[in-house]
Amino acid sequence: MRTRRAEYSESTRQALVDSAVDLFTKRGYAGTSLDEVVKRARVTKGALYHHFSGKQALFEAAFTQVETQSIESLTAVVTGEGDAWETAIAGLRAYVRKCLEPEYQRIIVHEAPVVMGWERWREAEEHFSFGLLRTAVQLLVDAGEIEDLPVEIMARLLFGALSASASTIASSSDPKRTGREVERAILRVLEGLRKK
């Protein structure tokens, strides 16, 4: 059993991460101070430094939380019951909706490449997202829905397209309209791969 101290420590860490997600979403990395984070979390600065080495480590924890929640919700859609084609399309639509969420746009798309550095961000994105996309492509191939092309290459091409799509949506003056256009364009690409 976990001790009361361990539970308190975990709840303190979670309060800090939740506070960071909220503030980084609203103000960005540069516009958020650690003093604001601890005040909102109702903990001391010492508690913050007990869990995180500094602001960047806290940002990476916020990034991980947003990405983990995103991938869990998308995985539930993509690997759900039903027709492989329909679940893949539902997964595409769920991804576009995810790209419209303010915390995803700000933390994952806008801030992470700058704060974490491009290479580290791409590694993290691959860690979280690529496996799910590869699974979705494999399910479509296994179901005979799309041409039996090399799964790894197809997944990499679609991964690039979806990453660019997230950036396009997040940078748009009308994200909802852009999201609909992205969804339509990627759906056309998938339909082009579909066996007749």
Coordinates of all heavy atoms in Angstrom, one line a residue, residues 76-162:
A76 N -8.5 4.9 -28.0 CA -9.8 4.3 -27.8 C -10.6 4.3 -29.0 O -11.4 3.4 -29.3 CB -10.5 5.0 -26.6
V77 N -10.5 5.4 -29.8 CA -11.3 5.5 -31.1 C -10.7 4.6 -32.1 O -11.4 3.8 -32.8 CB -11.3 7.0 -31.6 CG1 -11.9 7.1 -33.0 CG2 -11.9 7.9 -30.6
V78 N -9.4 4.6 -32.4 CA -8.8 3.9 -33.5 C -8.8 2.4 -33.3 O -8.9 1.7 -34.2 CB -7.3 4.4 -33.7 CG1 -6.5 3.5 -34.6 CG2 -7.3 5.8 -34.1
T79 N -8.7 1.9 -32.0 CA -8.7 0.5 -31.8 C -10.0 0.0 -31.3 O -10.1 -1.2 -30.9 CB -7.6 0.1 -30.8 OG1 -7.8 0.8 -29.6 CG2 -6.2 0.5 -31.3
G80 N -11.0 0.8 -31.4 CA -12.4 0.4 -31.0 C -13.0 -0.7 -31.9 O -12.5 -1.1 -32.9
E81 N -14.1 -1.1 -31.4 CA -14.9 -2.2 -32.2 C -15.4 -1.6 -33.5 O -15.7 -0.4 -33.6 CB -16.1 -2.7 -31.3 CG -15.6 -3.4 -30.1 CD -15.0 -4.7 -30.4 OE1 -15.4 -5.5 -31.3 OE2 -13.9 -5.0 -29.7
G82 N -15.6 -2.5 -34.4 CA -16.2 -2.0 -35.7 C -15.3 -2.1 -36.9 O -14.2 -2.6 -36.8
D83 N -15.8 -1.7 -38.0 CA -15.2 -1.7 -39.3 C -13.9 -0.9 -39.2 O -13.9 0.3 -38.7 CB -16.2 -1.1 -40.3 CG -15.6 -0.9 -41.6 OD1 -15.5 -1.9 -42.4 OD2 -15.2 0.2 -42.0
A84 N -12.8 -1.4 -39.8 CA -11.5 -0.8 -39.7 C -11.5 0.6 -40.4 O -10.9 1.6 -39.9 CB -10.4 -1.7 -40.4
W85 N -12.2 0.7 -41.6 CA -12.2 1.9 -42.3 C -13.0 3.0 -41.5 O -12.5 4.1 -41.3 CB -12.9 1.7 -43.6 CG -13.0 3.0 -44.4 CD1 -14.0 3.8 -44.6 CD2 -11.9 3.6 -45.1 NE1 -13.7 4.9 -45.4 CE2 -12.4 4.8 -45.7 CE3 -10.6 3.3 -45.4 CZ2 -11.6 5.7 -46.5 CZ3 -9.8 4.2 -46.1 CH2 -10.3 5.3 -46.7
E86 N -14.1 2.6 -40.9 CA -14.9 3.6 -40.1 C -14.1 4.0 -38.9 O -14.2 5.2 -38.5 CB -16.3 3.0 -39.8 CG -17.2 2.8 -41.0 CD -17.4 4.0 -41.8 OE1 -17.6 5.1 -41.2 OE2 -17.4 3.9 -43.1
T87 N -13.4 3.1 -38.2 CA -12.7 3.5 -37.0 C -11.5 4.4 -37.4 O -11.2 5.4 -36.6 CB -12.2 2.3 -36.2 OG1 -11.5 1.5 -37.0 CG2 -13.4 1.6 -35.6
A88 N -10.9 4.2 -38.5 CA -9.8 5.0 -39.0 C -10.3 6.4 -39.3 O -9.7 7.4 -38.9 CB -9.1 4.4 -40.2
I89 N -11.4 6.5 -39.9 CA -12.0 7.9 -40.2 C -12.4 8.5 -38.9 O -12.2 9.8 -38.8 CB -13.2 7.7 -41.2 CG1 -12.7 7.1 -42.5 CG2 -13.9 9.1 -41.5 CD1 -11.5 7.7 -43.2
A90 N -13.0 7.8 -38.0 CA -13.4 8.4 -36.7 C -12.1 8.9 -36.0 O -12.1 9.9 -35.3 CB -14.1 7.3 -35.9
G91 N -11.0 8.1 -36.1 CA -9.8 8.5 -35.5 C -9.2 9.8 -36.1 O -8.7 10.7 -35.4
L92 N -9.3 10.0 -37.5 CA -8.9 11.2 -38.1 C -9.8 12.4 -37.6 O -9.2 13.4 -37.3 CB -9.1 11.0 -39.6 CG -9.0 12.3 -40.5 CD1 -7.6 12.9 -40.3 CD2 -9.3 12.1 -41.9
R93 N -11.1 12.2 -37.5 CA -11.9 13.3 -37.0 C -11.6 13.6 -35.6 O -11.6 14.8 -35.2 CB -13.4 12.9 -37.2 CG -13.8 12.8 -38.7 CD -15.2 12.5 -38.9 NE -15.5 12.7 -40.3 CZ -16.1 11.8 -41.1 NH1 -16.5 10.6 -40.5 NH2 -16.3 12.0 -42.4
A94 N -11.3 12.6 -34.8 CA -11.0 12.8 -33.4 C -9.7 13.6 -33.3 O -9.5 14.5 -32.4 CB -10.9 11.5 -32.6
Y95 N -8.7 13.3 -34.1 CA -7.5 14.0 -34.2 C -7.7 15.5 -34.5 O -7.1 16.4 -33.9 CB -6.5 13.3 -35.1 CG -5.2 14.1 -35.2 CD1 -4.2 14.0 -34.2 CD2 -4.9 14.8 -36.4 CE1 -3.0 14.7 -34.3 CE2 -3.7 15.5 -36.5 CZ -2.8 15.4 -35.4 OH -1.6 16.1 -35.5
V96 N -8.5 15.7 -35.5 CA -8.7 17.1 -35.9 C -9.4 17.9 -34.7 O -9.0 19.0 -34.4 CB -9.6 17.2 -37.2 CG1 -10.1 18.6 -37.4 CG2 -8.8 16.7 -38.4
R97 N -10.3 17.2 -34.1 CA -11.0 17.9 -32.9 C -9.9 18.2 -31.8 O -9.9 19.2 -31.2 CB -12.1 17.0 -32.3 CG -13.3 17.0 -33.1 CD -14.5 16.4 -32.4 NE -14.3 15.1 -31.9 CZ -14.4 14.0 -32.6 NH1 -14.9 14.0 -33.8 NH2 -14.2 12.8 -32.0
K98 N -9.0 17.2 -31.6 CA -7.9 17.4 -30.6 C -7.1 18.6 -31.0 O -6.7 19.4 -30.1 CB -7.0 16.1 -30.6 CG -6.0 16.1 -29.6 CD -6.4 16.2 -28.1 CE -7.3 15.1 -27.7 NZ -7.8 15.4 -26.3
C99 N -6.8 18.8 -32.3 CA -6.0 19.9 -32.8 C -6.7 21.3 -32.5 O -6.0 22.3 -32.6 CB -5.6 19.8 -34.2 SG -4.5 18.4 -34.6
L100 N -8.0 21.3 -32.3 CA -8.7 22.5 -32.0 C -8.7 22.8 -30.5 O -9.1 24.0 -30.2 CB -10.2 22.3 -32.5 CG -10.3 22.2 -34.0 CD1 -11.8 21.8 -34.4 CD2 -9.9 23.5 -34.7
E101 N -8.3 21.9 -29.7 CA -8.3 22.2 -28.2 C -7.1 23.2 -27.9 O -6.0 23.0 -28.3 CB -8.1 20.9 -27.4 CG -9.3 20.0 -27.6 CD -9.1 18.7 -26.8 OE1 -8.1 18.5 -26.1 OE2 -10.1 17.8 -27.0
P102 N -7.4 24.2 -27.1 CA -6.4 25.2 -26.8 C -5.1 24.7 -26.2 O -4.0 25.1 -26.5 CB -7.1 26.2 -25.8 CG -8.6 26.0 -26.2 CD -8.7 24.6 -26.6
E103 N -5.3 23.7 -25.2 CA -4.0 23.2 -24.6 C -3.2 22.4 -25.5 O -2.0 22.5 -25.5 CB -4.4 22.4 -23.3 CG -5.1 21.2 -23.5 CD -5.5 20.5 -22.2 OE1 -5.6 21.2 -21.1 OE2 -5.6 19.3 -22.2
Y104 N -3.8 21.7 -26.4 CA -3.0 21.0 -27.4 C -2.3 21.9 -28.4 O -1.1 21.8 -28.7 CB -4.0 20.0 -28.2 CG -3.2 19.0 -29.1 CD1 -2.8 17.8 -28.5 CD2 -2.9 19.3 -30.4 CE1 -2.1 16.9 -29.3 CE2 -2.2 18.4 -31.1 CZ -1.8 17.2 -30.6 OH -1.0 16.3 -31.3
Q105 N -3.1 22.9 -28.9 CA -2.5 23.9 -29.8 C -1.3 24.6 -29.2 O -0.2 24.7 -29.7 CB -3.5 24.9 -30.2 CG -4.5 24.4 -31.2 CD -5.5 25.6 -31.6 OE1 -5.3 26.7 -31.3 NE2 -6.5 25.2 -32.3
R106 N -1.5 25.1 -27.9 CA -0.5 26.0 -27.3 C 0.7 25.2 -26.9 O 1.9 25.5 -27.1 CB -1.1 26.7 -26.2 CG -0.2 27.8 -25.5 CD 0.0 29.0 -26.5 NE 0.8 30.0 -26.0 CZ 0.4 31.2 -25.5 NH1 -0.9 31.4 -25.4 NH2 1.2 32.1 -25.1
I107 N 0.5 24.1 -26.1 CA 1.6 23.3 -25.5 C 2.3 22.4 -26.5 O 3.5 22.4 -26.6 CB 1.1 22.6 -24.2 CG1 0.7 23.6 -23.1 CG2 2.1 21.6 -23.7 CD1 0.0 23.0 -21.9
I108 N 1.5 21.6 -27.2 CA 2.1 20.6 -28.1 C 2.6 21.2 -29.4 O 3.7 20.9 -29.8 CB 1.1 19.5 -28.4 CG1 0.5 18.9 -27.1 CG2 1.7 18.4 -29.3 CD1 1.5 18.3 -26.1
V109 N 1.8 22.0 -30.0 CA 2.1 22.5 -31.3 C 3.0 23.8 -31.3 O 4.0 23.8 -32.0 CB 0.9 22.8 -32.2 CG1 1.2 23.3 -33.6 CG2 0.0 21.5 -32.3
H110 N 2.6 24.8 -30.5 CA 3.4 26.0 -30.6 C 4.6 26.1 -29.6 O 5.7 26.5 -30.0 CB 2.4 27.2 -30.2 CG 1.5 27.6 -31.3 ND1 1.8 27.9 -32.5 CD2 0.1 27.7 -31.3 CE1 0.8 28.1 -33.3 NE2 -0.3 28.0 -32.5
E111 N 4.4 25.7 -28.4 CA 5.4 25.9 -27.4 C 6.5 24.8 -27.4 O 7.7 25.1 -27.2 CB 4.8 26.0 -26.0 CG 3.9 27.2 -25.8 CD 4.6 28.6 -25.7 OE1 5.8 28.6 -25.4 OE2 3.9 29.6 -26.0
A112 N 6.1 23.6 -27.5 CA 7.0 22.4 -27.3 C 8.2 22.5 -28.2 O 9.3 22.3 -27.8 CB 6.3 21.1 -27.4
P113 N 8.1 22.8 -29.6 CA 9.3 22.8 -30.4 C 10.3 23.8 -30.0 O 11.5 23.6 -30.1 CB 8.7 23.1 -31.8 CG 7.3 22.8 -31.7 CD 6.8 23.0 -30.3
V114 N 9.8 25.0 -29.4 CA 10.7 26.0 -28.9 C 11.3 25.7 -27.6 O 12.5 25.7 -27.4 CB 9.9 27.4 -28.8 CG1 10.8 28.5 -28.3 CG2 9.4 27.8 -30.2
V115 N 10.5 25.2 -26.6 CA 11.0 25.0 -25.3 C 11.8 23.7 -25.2 O 12.9 23.7 -24.6 CB 9.8 24.8 -24.3 CG1 10.2 24.4 -22.9 CG2 8.9 26.1 -24.3
M116 N 11.4 22.7 -25.9 CA 12.1 21.4 -25.9 C 13.2 21.3 -26.9 O 14.1 20.4 -26.8 CB 11.1 20.2 -26.0 CG 10.1 20.2 -24.9 SD 8.7 19.1 -25.3 CE 9.5 17.5 -25.3
G117 N 13.2 22.1 -27.9 CA 14.1 22.0 -29.1 C 13.4 21.1 -30.1 O 12.7 20.2 -29.7
W118 N 13.7 21.4 -31.4 CA 13.0 20.7 -32.4 C 13.3 19.2 -32.4 O 12.3 18.4 -32.5 CB 13.5 21.2 -33.8 CG 12.9 20.5 -35.0 CD1 13.5 19.6 -35.7 CD2 11.6 20.7 -35.5 NE1 12.7 19.1 -36.7 CE2 11.5 19.8 -36.6 CE3 10.5 21.5 -35.2 CZ2 10.3 19.7 -37.3 CZ3 9.4 21.4 -35.9 CH2 9.3 20.5 -37.0
E119 N 14.5 18.8 -32.2 CA 14.8 17.3 -32.2 C 14.2 16.6 -31.0 O 13.6 15.5 -31.2 CB 16.4 17.1 -32.1 CG 16.8 15.7 -32.4 CD 18.3 15.6 -32.6 OE1 18.9 16.4 -33.3 OE2 18.8 14.7 -31.9
R120 N 14.2 17.1 -29.9 CA 13.6 16.5 -28.7 C 12.1 16.4 -28.8 O 11.5 15.4 -28.5 CB 14.0 17.3 -27.4 CG 13.3 16.9 -26.2 CD 14.1 15.9 -25.3 NE 13.4 15.7 -24.1 CZ 12.4 14.8 -24.0 NH1 12.0 14.0 -25.0 NH2 11.8 14.6 -22.8
W121 N 11.5 17.5 -29.4 CA 10.1 17.5 -29.6 C 9.7 16.5 -30.6 O 8.7 15.8 -30.4 CB 9.7 18.9 -30.1 CG 8.2 19.0 -30.5 CD1 7.1 18.9 -29.7 CD2 7.7 19.2 -31.8 NE1 6.0 19.1 -30.4 CE2 6.3 19.2 -31.7 CE3 8.3 19.3 -33.1 CZ2 5.5 19.4 -32.9 CZ3 7.5 19.5 -34.2 CH2 6.1 19.5 -34.1
R122 N 10.4 16.3 -31.7 CA 10.1 15.3 -32.7 C 10.2 13.9 -32.1 O 9.4 13.0 -32.4 CB 11.0 15.4 -33.9 CG 10.7 16.6 -34.8 CD 9.3 16.8 -35.3 NE 9.1 15.8 -36.3 CZ 7.9 15.5 -36.8 NH1 6.8 16.2 -36.4 NH2 7.7 14.6 -37.7
E123 N 11.2 13.7 -31.3 CA 11.4 12.4 -30.6 C 10.1 12.1 -29.7 O 9.6 11.0 -29.7 CB 12.6 12.4 -29.8 CG 13.9 12.3 -30.6 CD 15.1 12.4 -29.7 OE1 15.0 12.5 -28.4 OE2 16.2 12.5 -30.2
A124 N 9.7 13.1 -29.0 CA 8.6 13.0 -28.1 C 7.3 12.7 -28.9 O 6.5 11.8 -28.5 CB 8.4 14.2 -27.2
E125 N 7.1 13.5 -30.0 CA 5.9 13.3 -30.8 C 5.9 11.9 -31.4 O 4.9 11.2 -31.4 CB 5.9 14.3 -32.0 CG 5.5 15.7 -31.5 CD 4.0 15.6 -31.2 OE1 3.2 15.8 -32.1 OE2 3.7 15.5 -30.0
E126 N 7.1 11.4 -31.8 CA 7.2 10.0 -32.3 C 6.8 9.0 -31.3 O 6.1 8.1 -31.5 CB 8.6 9.8 -32.9 CG 8.7 8.4 -33.5 CD 9.5 8.4 -34.8 OE1 9.6 9.4 -35.5 OE2 10.1 7.3 -35.0
H127 N 7.4 9.2 -30.1 CA 7.1 8.3 -29.0 C 5.6 8.2 -28.7 O 5.1 7.1 -28.5 CB 7.8 8.8 -27.7 CG 7.4 8.1 -26.5 ND1 7.8 6.9 -26.1 CD2 6.6 8.6 -25.4 CE1 7.3 6.5 -25.0 NE2 6.5 7.5 -24.5
F128 N 4.9 9.4 -28.7 CA 3.5 9.4 -28.3 C 2.6 9.0 -29.5 O 1.7 8.2 -29.4 CB 3.1 10.8 -27.8 CG 3.5 11.0 -26.4 CD1 4.6 11.8 -26.1 CD2 2.8 10.4 -25.3 CE1 5.0 12.0 -24.8 CE2 3.2 10.6 -24.0 CZ 4.3 11.4 -23.7
S129 N 2.9 9.6 -30.7 CA 1.9 9.5 -31.8 C 2.2 8.5 -32.8 O 1.2 7.9 -33.4 CB 1.8 10.9 -32.5 OG 1.6 11.9 -31.5
F130 N 3.4 8.3 -33.2 CA 3.7 7.4 -34.3 C 3.2 6.0 -34.2 O 2.6 5.4 -35.1 CB 5.2 7.4 -34.7 CG 5.5 6.6 -35.9 CD1 5.2 7.1 -37.1 CD2 6.1 5.4 -35.8 CE1 5.4 6.3 -38.3 CE2 6.4 4.6 -36.9 CZ 6.0 5.1 -38.2
G131 N 3.4 5.4 -33.0 CA 2.9 4.0 -32.8 C 1.4 3.8 -33.1 O 1.0 2.8 -33.7
L132 N 0.6 4.8 -32.6 CA -0.8 4.7 -32.8 C -1.1 4.8 -34.3 O -1.9 4.1 -34.8 CB -1.5 5.8 -32.1 CG -3.0 5.9 -32.3 CD1 -3.7 4.6 -31.9 CD2 -3.6 7.1 -31.5
L133 N -0.5 5.7 -35.0 CA -0.7 5.9 -36.4 C -0.3 4.6 -37.2 O -1.0 4.1 -38.1 CB 0.0 7.1 -37.0 CG -0.3 7.4 -38.4 CD1 -1.7 7.6 -38.7 CD2 0.5 8.7 -38.8
R134 N 0.9 4.1 -36.8 CA 1.3 2.8 -37.5 C 0.3 1.7 -37.2 O 0.0 0.9 -38.1 CB 2.7 2.4 -36.9 CG 3.3 1.3 -37.7 CD 4.6 0.9 -37.1 NE 5.3 0.0 -38.0 CZ 4.9 -1.2 -38.3 NH1 3.8 -1.7 -37.9 NH2 5.6 -2.0 -39.1
T135 N -0.2 1.6 -36.0 CA -1.3 0.6 -35.7 C -2.5 0.8 -36.6 O -3.0 -0.2 -37.1 CB -1.7 0.7 -34.2 OG1 -0.5 0.4 -33.4 CG2 -2.8 -0.2 -33.9
A136 N -2.9 2.1 -36.8 CA -4.1 2.4 -37.6 C -3.9 1.9 -39.0 O -4.8 1.3 -39.7 CB -4.5 3.8 -37.5
V137 N -2.7 2.2 -39.6 CA -2.4 1.8 -41.0 C -2.3 0.3 -41.1 O -2.9 -0.3 -42.0 CB -1.0 2.5 -41.4 CG1 -0.6 1.9 -42.8 CG2 -1.2 4.0 -41.5
Q138 N -1.7 -0.4 -40.1 CA -1.7 -1.8 -40.1 C -3.1 -2.4 -40.1 O -3.3 -3.4 -40.8 CB -0.8 -2.3 -38.9 CG -0.6 -3.8 -39.0 CD 0.4 -4.2 -40.1 OE1 1.5 -3.8 -40.2 NE2 -0.1 -5.1 -41.0
L139 N -4.0 -1.9 -39.3 CA -5.3 -2.4 -39.2 C -6.0 -2.2 -40.5 O -6.8 -3.1 -41.0 CB -6.1 -1.6 -38.1 CG -5.7 -2.0 -36.7 CD1 -6.4 -1.0 -35.7 CD2 -6.1 -3.4 -36.3
L140 N -5.8 -1.1 -41.2 CA -6.4 -0.9 -42.5 C -5.9 -1.9 -43.6 O -6.6 -2.4 -44.4 CB -6.2 0.5 -43.0 CG -7.0 1.6 -42.3 CD1 -6.5 3.0 -42.7 CD2 -8.5 1.5 -42.6
V141 N -4.5 -2.1 -43.5 CA -3.9 -3.1 -44.5 C -4.5 -4.5 -44.1 O -4.9 -5.3 -45.0 CB -2.4 -3.1 -44.4 CG1 -1.8 -4.3 -45.1 CG2 -1.9 -1.8 -44.9
D142 N -4.5 -4.9 -42.9 CA -4.9 -6.2 -42.5 C -6.4 -6.5 -42.8 O -6.8 -7.6 -43.2 CB -4.8 -6.4 -41.0 CG -3.3 -6.5 -40.5 OD1 -2.4 -6.6 -41.4 OD2 -3.1 -6.4 -39.3
A143 N -7.2 -5.4 -42.8 CA -8.6 -5.5 -43.1 C -8.8 -5.5 -44.7 O -10.0 -5.7 -45.1 CB -9.4 -4.4 -42.5
G144 N -7.8 -5.3 -45.4 CA -7.9 -5.2 -46.9 C -8.5 -3.9 -47.3 O -9.0 -3.8 -48.5
E145 N -8.5 -2.9 -46.5 CA -9.1 -1.6 -46.9 C -8.3 -0.8 -47.7 O -8.8 0.0 -48.6 CB -9.5 -0.8 -45.6 CG -10.7 -1.4 -44.8 CD -12.0 -1.3 -45.5 OE1 -12.1 -0.5 -46.5 OE2 -13.0 -1.9 -45.0
I146 N -6.9 -0.8 -47.5 CA -6.0 0.0 -48.3 C -5.0 -0.9 -49.0 O -4.8 -2.1 -48.6 CB -5.3 1.1 -47.5 CG1 -4.4 0.5 -46.4 CG2 -6.4 2.1 -47.0 CD1 -3.6 1.6 -45.7
E147 N -4.4 -0.4 -50.0 CA -3.3 -1.1 -50.7 C -2.3 -1.7 -49.7 O -2.0 -1.0 -48.7 CB -2.7 -0.2 -51.7 CG -3.6 0.3 -52.8 CD -4.1 -0.9 -53.8 OE1 -3.3 -1.8 -54.0 OE2 -5.2 -0.8 -54.2
D148 N -1.7 -2.8 -50.0 CA -0.7 -3.4 -49.2 C 0.6 -2.8 -49.5 O 1.5 -3.5 -50.1 CB -0.7 -5.0 -49.4 CG 0.1 -5.7 -48.4 OD1 0.6 -5.0 -47.4 OD2 0.3 -6.9 -48.5
L149 N 0.8 -1.6 -49.1 CA 2.1 -0.9 -49.3 C 2.9 -1.0 -48.0 O 2.3 -1.4 -46.9 CB 1.8 0.6 -49.5 CG 1.0 0.9 -50.9 CD1 0.5 2.3 -50.9 CD2 1.9 0.6 -52.0
P150 N 4.2 -0.7 -48.0 CA 4.9 -0.9 -46.7 C 4.3 0.0 -45.6 O 4.2 1.2 -45.7 CB 6.3 -0.4 -47.1 CG 6.4 -0.5 -48.6 CD 5.0 -0.3 -49.1
V151 N 3.9 -0.6 -44.6 CA 3.2 0.0 -43.5 C 4.1 1.1 -42.8 O 3.6 2.2 -42.6 CB 2.8 -1.0 -42.4 CG1 2.2 -0.3 -41.2 CG2 1.7 -1.9 -43.0
E152 N 5.3 0.8 -42.6 CA 6.2 1.8 -42.0 C 6.3 3.1 -42.8 O 6.2 4.2 -42.2 CB 7.6 1.2 -41.8 CG 8.6 2.1 -41.0 CD 8.4 2.1 -39.5 OE1 7.6 1.2 -39.0 OE2 8.9 3.0 -38.9
I153 N 6.5 2.9 -44.1 CA 6.6 4.1 -45.0 C 5.3 4.9 -45.0 O 5.2 6.1 -44.9 CB 7.1 3.7 -46.4 CG1 8.5 3.2 -46.3 CG2 7.0 4.8 -47.4 CD1 9.1 2.5 -47.5
M154 N 4.2 4.1 -45.2 CA 2.8 4.8 -45.2 C 2.6 5.6 -43.9 O 2.1 6.7 -43.9 CB 1.7 3.8 -45.4 CG 1.6 3.3 -46.8 SD 1.3 4.6 -48.0 CE 0.0 5.5 -47.2
A155 N 2.9 4.9 -42.8 CA 2.7 5.6 -41.5 C 3.6 6.8 -41.4 O 3.1 7.9 -40.9 CB 3.0 4.6 -40.4
R156 N 4.8 6.8 -41.8 CA 5.7 8.0 -41.8 C 5.2 9.1 -42.7 O 5.2 10.3 -42.2 CB 7.1 7.6 -42.2 CG 7.8 6.6 -41.3 CD 9.1 7.2 -40.7 NE 9.5 6.3 -39.7 CZ 9.5 6.5 -38.4 NH1 9.0 7.7 -38.0 NH2 9.9 5.7 -37.5
L157 N 4.7 8.8 -43.8 CA 4.1 9.8 -44.7 C 2.9 10.4 -44.1 O 2.7 11.7 -44.1 CB 3.8 9.2 -46.1 CG 5.0 8.8 -46.9 CD1 4.5 8.1 -48.2 CD2 5.8 10.0 -47.3
L158 N 2.0 9.6 -43.6 CA 0.8 10.2 -42.9 C 1.1 10.9 -41.6 O 0.5 12.0 -41.3 CB -0.2 9.0 -42.6 CG -0.9 8.4 -43.9 CD1 -1.6 7.2 -43.5 CD2 -1.7 9.5 -44.6
F159 N 2.2 10.5 -40.9 CA 2.6 11.1 -39.7 C 3.1 12.6 -40.0 O 2.7 13.5 -39.3 CB 3.7 10.3 -39.0 CG 4.2 10.9 -37.8 CD1 3.5 10.9 -36.6 CD2 5.5 11.4 -37.7 CE1 3.9 11.4 -35.4 CE2 6.0 11.9 -36.5 CZ 5.2 11.9 -35.4
G160 N 3.8 12.7 -41.1 CA 4.3 14.0 -41.5 C 3.1 14.9 -41.9 O 3.1 16.1 -41.6
A161 N 2.1 14.3 -42.6 CA 1.0 15.1 -43.1 C 0.2 15.5 -41.9 O -0.3 16.7 -41.8 CB 0.1 14.3 -44.0
L162 N 0.0 14.6 -40.9 CA -0.8 15.0 -39.7 C -0.1 16.0 -38.8 O -0.7 16.9 -38.2 CB -1.2 13.7 -38.9 CG -2.2 12.8 -39.6 CD1 -2.3 11.5 -38.9 CD2 -3.6 13.5 -39.8

